[in-house]
Amino acid sequence: MNRVYCLYRVSERGQVEKNDIPMQRVVYQTFAQERGWEILREFSEKGVSGYKLTMQQRDAVIEIREDAMAGKFDILLVYMFDRIGRWDDETPFAVEWLVRNGVSVWSVCEGEQRFDNHVDKLTNYIRYWQAAGESAKTSERVRTRIRQLTEEGFFTGGQCPYGYELVRGERL
């Protein structure tokens, strides 16, 4: 029976507040059960950006790598491959390292990450290059909207300005 580690990650506050981790957990359990796989460990990263933090800054990824070196599991299961990370100059090589060290990397949405030939390697790199681009575009949209809200006179976070009282409520 294949021994599986699961990595759950949500990067945004809204995903944490909506508690998207249980949704991921149900999908992973069904996926593993259908294949006769045994889930040994589950790692949750709540509010952790795969774009802002390198793999060396993420405790779950460090522990997964150490356990891979020790041969403690056979499969790393993620929701989508961008849950592993979004750095185009880091993530594809980390995934390939796992595969070369005997760990299959699977996404419940995208299937198994393969490295059988140069096309697989190129496709893998393009996947993370695209994910990095999506993160950059999302960041720019968020910065633009925060700037617009500030210009419209709305408080957009941080410390309440001196002389003002912060009142929580709905925007008009």
Side-chain angles (χ1 to χ4, degrees):
M1 180 174 288
N2 286 309
R3 304 165 299 158
V4 178
Y5 276 19
C6 297
L7 175 62
Y8 311 114
R9 182 175 70 78
V10 293
S11 55
E12 298 174 7
R13 189 177 327 164
Q15 293 172 306
V16 173
E17 290 169 1
K18 289 186 229 172
N19 207 3
D20 281 356
I21 298 286
M23 176 278 300
Q24 290 181 33
R25 181 174 283 125
V26 168
V27 172
Y28 287 36
Q29 288 172 347
T30 302
F31 190 86
Q33 186 178 30
E34 289 171 352
R35 286 155 184 76
W37 298 349
E38 179 185 9
I39 295 176
L40 298 182
R41 291 205 53 200
E42 299 172 303
F43 297 85
S44 293
E45 294 183 310
K46 295 181 179 180
V48 173
S49 171
Y51 181 67
K52 293 179 182 173
L53 299 177
T54 67
M55 294 188 153
Q56 292 79 21
Q57 295 172 305
R58 296 170 51 202
D59 294 338
V61 173
I62 292 168
E63 193 169 347
I64 288 168
R65 185 180 167 102
E66 290 170 355
D67 285 1
M69 285 190 286
K72 293 184 178 181
F73 66 106
D74 307 305
I75 296 170
L76 175 62
L77 185 59
V78 295
Y79 188 71
M80 294 181 76
F81 290 120
D82 69 358
R83 301 297 81 197
I84 300 169
R86 289 183 175 240
W87 288 53
D88 57 3
D89 61 349
E90 175 186 59
T91 311
F93 306 108
V95 172
E96 185 176 6
W97 180 91
L98 285 167
V99 172
R100 279 189 283 124
N101 284 276
V103 175
S104 296
V105 180
W106 280 78
S107 157
V108 297
C109 296
E110 300 160 309
E112 183 178 10
Q113 182 61 70
R114 308 287 305 183
F115 294 94
D116 296 332
N117 54 53
H118 283 22
V119 173
D120 290 341
K121 290 179 182 183
L122 178 60
T123 302
N124 186 40
Y125 178 78
I126 290 170
R127 173 179 285 122
Y128 292 105
W129 172 78
Q130 172 68 21
E134 288 300 317
S135 292
K137 288 190 295 187
T138 299
S139 294
E140 183 57 35
R141 284 192 301 269
V142 169
R143 277 192 302 276
T144 299
R145 185 60 184 142
I146 289 173
R147 190 171 39 254
Q148 289 171 345
L149 288 169
T150 302
E151 289 170 359
E152 293 171 13
F154 290 101
F155 178 65
T156 56
Q159 205 167 14
C160 185
Y162 182 75
Y164 286 81
E165 179 182 343
L166 182 60
V167 178
R168 302 237 182 250
E170 292 185 26
R171 244 186 267 154
L172 302 175

